[in-house]
Amino acid sequence: MDDTDDIGGSGYSLEELSAYLDRERTPRIAAIESNAQCQALLSSMERMGALSREVVDEASRAPLPESWYDDVMREVLREFRAGRDIPILAATKGTEVVVTEGAVYELIRAVGDSVPGALVGKVRVSPHDRDDVLDIRISLSLRFGQSISEVAEEVRTKVRRAVSQHGDLRAGVIDVTVDDLHLGEEAAHG
Amino acid sequence: MAESEKELEARIDEVVAATSGVREQYSARSTLRRAARRFTDAPSVLSLVEDDRGRRRVTVCIGVTAELDSSAVALDVAAAVRELLAEGEEPLDVRVRVSRLIPSAV
């Protein structure tokens, strides 16, 4: 059994989740709807679909190879596994509040994708010197014609702000690497 | 008659879902326990109530809109669970696990 056969212990494969999304989540399947990893993956599939439509898909201009999407989905599968629990508040007597590593990955990926001209390829998170301070590495594809430094800085700023929104959680070092280029509608038609 | 754990879990699910800022709720059971439940007729409760040597432990898993402070929402959830169980005499541990920070655009 590989990573795509049983998402988050739901009993449903990646292919079945994709089919579930295609039929607009009906009939409703409780094992999927109550599973955080399935929900994160479905949400990511929807967002990837929206982003894909923004990218020109003329084969001759090939702004992004099909394999790029496969690679990203593989990354999403890996990242969205719950992973370790990160404390986001100092423990008080009898109450413990944690966020999963998978939730942090989903947040960073969504924030990165929201920056115009950026498509996140890979995210890596590791503890800095405390559990609630995270060093973050992001690789992304840049829309042709965009400024590398401006997009990278905007991704860094937005990710730092988004992470520090949640209790004691903080971003340490944020490295942004541009390792791919794609054409957007403006570049393709301009 | 004492309330069963399943009934209690169902009531906890209700107060968690009613807490402001909670967008989704997920099963707090481990992967193995979730798999086992697929083969039973157990009602689909999401919260988990366990007894740890006379100490009651409640675990809930939630999804919060990414723009909100999930720690504040989680504290509200913990307070709501404590209020629900206030009549009990047992010591209580509440663990709130934020399993998703959900992008608002989706």
Side-chain angles (χ1 to χ4, degrees):
Chain A
M1 183 181 284
D2 68 20
D3 288 348
T4 65
D5 286 340
D6 183 9
I7 308 297
S10 65
Y12 289 87
S13 66
L14 180 61
E15 197 173 329
E16 287 166 326
L17 282 190
S18 181
Y20 185 58
L21 194 60
D22 286 346
R23 59 174 194 269
E24 299 178 335
R25 301 186 181 209
T26 54
R28 194 172 178 282
I29 298 173
I32 293 176
E33 297 295 339
S34 66
N35 187 296
Q37 196 177 326
C38 288
Q39 291 301 302
L41 209 54
L42 288 170
S43 168
S44 184
M45 284 176 179
E46 285 177 325
R47 205 172 58 249
M48 283 281 288
L51 289 170
S52 303
R53 285 190 286 277
E54 290 177 12
V55 176
V56 178
D57 61 355
E58 295 170 42
S60 59
R61 308 192 75 145
L64 279 170
E66 216 167 278
S67 63
W68 189 85
Y69 296 105
D70 293 342
D71 290 344
V72 170
M73 282 316 295
R74 249 195 305 276
E75 275 302 310
V76 167
L77 267 174
R78 196 196 67 77
E79 293 167 8
F80 287 6
R81 261 181 240 132
R84 68 194 175 98
D85 288 344
I86 304 168
I88 54 172
L89 283 179
T92 57
K93 199 173 182 308
T95 298
E96 189 181 8
V97 176
V98 299
V99 64
T100 64
E101 210 170 34
V104 174
Y105 272 103
E106 184 180 12
L107 173 69
I108 294 169
R109 182 170 281 282
V111 169
D113 282 339
S114 74
V115 173
L119 290 175
V120 173
K122 192 183 290 184
V123 178
R124 290 288 182 272
V125 168
S126 56
H128 185 73
D129 49 4
R130 296 180 356 211
D131 274 352
D132 54 1
V133 179
L134 306 172
D135 287 340
I136 300 165
R137 283 178 293 148
I138 305 168
S139 71
L140 52 87
S141 172
L142 186 76
R143 185 189 297 156
F144 182 76
Q146 298 277 117
S147 159
I148 292 178
S149 58
E150 284 175 15
V151 170
E153 189 51 37
E154 190 173 350
V155 169
R156 254 194 299 270
T157 303
K158 286 188 167 178
V159 166
R160 187 176 297 283
R161 191 184 307 141
V163 167
S164 63
Q165 178 93 16
H166 301 277
D168 296 336
L169 201 61
R170 294 290 178 269
V173 176
I174 304 178
D175 282 332
V176 177
T177 306
V178 174
D179 61 4
D180 213 338
L181 288 174
H182 64 272
L183 294 179
E185 286 181 1
E186 287 171 28
H189 297 136
Chain B
M1 193 174 72
E3 185 176 34
S4 75
E5 276 189 356
K6 294 292 164 277
E7 288 167 338
L8 189 56
E9 287 168 344
R11 288 174 63 206
I12 292 171
D13 283 357
E14 286 175 16
V15 299
V16 171
T19 304
S20 177
V22 173
R23 190 156 146 194
E24 293 180 350
Q25 196 180 349
Y26 316 106
S27 175
R29 282 166 177 75
S30 67
T31 301
L32 281 176
R33 286 198 197 178
R34 283 201 301 269
R37 287 172 71 89
R38 285 205 302 274
F39 301 105
T40 70
D41 293 327
S44 56
V45 288
L46 301 172
S47 306
L48 177 63
V49 176
E50 296 168 298
D51 182 68
D52 183 10
R53 285 167 291 179
R55 195 172 178 89
R56 183 174 272 175
R57 181 188 296 164
V58 175
T59 306
V60 297
C61 293
I62 58 172
V64 177
T65 300
E67 287 72 19
L68 295 178
D69 176 358
S70 61
S71 67
V73 175
L75 281 181
D76 287 346
V77 167
V81 171
R82 286 186 178 283
E83 193 180 331
L84 176 71
L85 303 179
E87 68 275 15
E89 305 86 32
E90 293 174 71
L92 174 66
D93 289 328
V94 181
R95 179 178 170 85
V96 183
R97 196 169 190 236
V98 180
S99 298
R100 284 193 69 202
L101 295 168
I102 305 168
S104 57
V106 175

